[in-house]
Amino acid sequence: MAEKNKLSQYVKASRKQYGLTQEALSYKSGVGLRFIRDLEQGKKSLRMDKVNTVLSLFGAELGVVQQQRGEEMP
């Protein structure tokens, strides 16, 4: 499985903070249990709309983060 990333760590930590099992988070968010497991394992290809559905339970959403680079794009 893919390496863990900030998103997967955030979801898992938030789920535990609210005392939810993966099954309960799946039920509350309306996405499948396999999706929750893939999300927490850091799977690289997930549907953004489903990720945002899960994140909305924790008051968060996906967004653009500007990376610092040595050169600017033309």
Side-chain angles (χ1 to χ4, degrees):
M1 191 58 70
E3 71 180 53
K4 300 232 178 178
N5 54 43
K6 288 182 182 181
L7 176 61
S8 62
Q9 292 169 354
Y10 175 82
V11 170
K12 187 172 186 175
S14 297
R15 174 179 63 78
K16 288 185 174 194
Q17 178 183 350
Y18 286 97
L20 298 170
T21 62
Q22 288 180 333
E23 292 83 1
L25 180 56
S26 169
Y27 178 78
K28 286 183 175 289
S29 63
V31 302
L33 177 57
R34 182 177 188 144
F35 182 84
I36 297 296
R37 289 180 176 156
D38 286 346
L39 178 57
E40 287 191 4
Q41 289 297 313
K43 184 176 178 185
K44 297 288 184 187
S45 58
L46 294 169
R47 285 184 42 187
M48 289 191 303
D49 61 329
K50 286 186 173 187
V51 172
N52 274 327
T53 298
V54 174
L55 291 176
S56 70
L57 293 175
F58 306 124
E61 67 180 11
L62 290 175
V64 176
V65 177
Q66 194 70 30
Q67 294 182 350
Q68 292 185 1
R69 293 187 167 171
E71 298 179 22
E72 294 293 321
M73 288 185 65

